[in-house]
Amino acid sequence: HHLGAGAAPTETVHALADVNVRVAAGECLGLTGSNAGGKRSLLKICAGVLAPSSGTVERAGRTAAILELGLGFDFELTGRENVMRAAAMMGLSHAQIVERVEAIKDFTEIGEAFDRPMRTYSTGMKMRVAFSVATAWQPEVLFIDEALSVGDAYFQHKSFDRLLRLKDQGCGLIFVSHDENAIKTLSDRVLLLDEGRTIQDGSAEQVYDFYNALIGSESATAV
């Protein structure tokens, strides 16, 4: 559906120009590039957080997003209460949420902290909760920001295992990261964005060969 039908945006930022994205079932599209490249704007438009000033977005079925850490969490509420609320916002019934909440708690591995206010959490603990609830049910498409780079290597590895399993089951992923290894592990296809435009679109190997050569030539020019 078209996302421009909601509330008028409070500001217009021309972060993207003529970028077209299509993700198939079981495909992971990686988005990478410089800080001002437009990756996050594109991810937020795809996820429905931002309305595009032109163009359309069509999303099939239920989607879930792990965007800027804690987006949508109320830090006065406990981890459990935030999970219940986030899952309800994803369109799940109370019965479905109750059935899965203990498994979500177990996946986070934060123990009794799950029932303490989120303001007492470290950044890594918030990320564990955000990831655990967003991936507890099979979405049609999952949108992931840099969030996975926060926290310890153990949980990152566990998260990648879950994402690869979701992919195998037909979930589409759109993944923003600066981490070349993360992009290569997950992505079937990578878009390299620069100043809101796609400058490369291809396999992770092909895109990073181009990107690393580009960075090398820019730093050589800067000397």
Side-chain angles (χ1 to χ4, degrees):
H1 57 281
H2 190 274
L3 292 176
T10 52
E11 59 175 326
T12 302
V13 179
H14 292 287
L16 299 162
D18 301 324
V19 177
N20 294 297
V21 173
R22 181 177 290 273
V23 177
E27 180 185 24
C28 176
L29 176 69
L31 304 177
T32 196
S34 63
N35 282 332
K39 308 179 298 296
R40 286 194 171 74
S41 298
L42 179 57
L43 191 72
K44 286 178 180 177
I45 286 170
C46 292
V49 175
L50 282 180
S53 50
S54 63
T56 59
V57 178
E58 292 175 17
R59 293 194 304 272
R62 194 168 60 75
T63 63
I66 310 167
L67 300 175
E68 291 152 1
L69 229 40
L71 190 70
F73 284 153
D74 179 340
F75 295 151
E76 292 306 311
L77 299 180
T78 66
R80 183 185 301 272
E81 288 163 342
N82 272 300
V83 161
M84 303 288 283
R85 207 173 73 150
M89 286 167 69
M90 285 159 60
L92 293 147
S93 70
H94 185 71
Q96 284 174 307
I97 300 166
V98 168
E99 176 191 46
R100 196 85 38 115
V101 73
E102 286 305 316
I104 293 170
K105 176 188 174 183
D106 291 346
F107 193 86
T108 67
E109 296 188 50
I110 63 170
E112 297 313 306
F114 194 67
D115 289 298
R116 290 204 290 269
M118 264 192 151
R119 61 180 152 72
T120 63
Y121 287 18
S122 66
T123 307
M125 287 162 75
K126 288 174 194 158
M127 194 282 289
R128 285 178 176 228
V129 174
F131 182 87
S132 302
V133 69
T135 58
W137 294 269
Q138 171 89 20
E140 237 69 44
V141 185
L142 179 62
F143 305 98
I144 311 166
D145 199 351
E146 198 72 73
L148 292 181
S149 61
V150 176
D152 55 279
Y154 163 74
F155 197 79
Q156 276 183 43
H157 182 74
K158 181 170 154 164
S159 300
F160 280 126
D161 281 351
R162 177 170 273 194
L163 291 175
L164 290 167
R165 198 159 64 248
L166 285 174
K167 263 185 68 178
D168 287 345
Q169 292 163 358
C171 174
L173 305 175
I174 299 185
F175 177 49
V176 163
S177 183
H178 284 112
D179 182 338
E180 185 173 338
N181 289 331
I183 292 266
K184 284 181 171 176
T185 301
L186 288 174
S187 304
D188 302 291
R189 200 173 122 231
V190 180
L191 291 190
L192 175 60
L193 296 176
D194 186 55
E195 295 183 357
R197 294 182 183 277
T198 305
I199 56 170
Q200 276 285 297
D201 175 353
S203 70
E205 292 291 337
Q206 178 189 336
V207 169
Y208 275 102
D209 283 351
F210 175 87
Y211 191 26
N212 292 330
L214 185 71
I215 293 167
S217 67
E218 282 175 358
S219 58
T221 311
V223 171

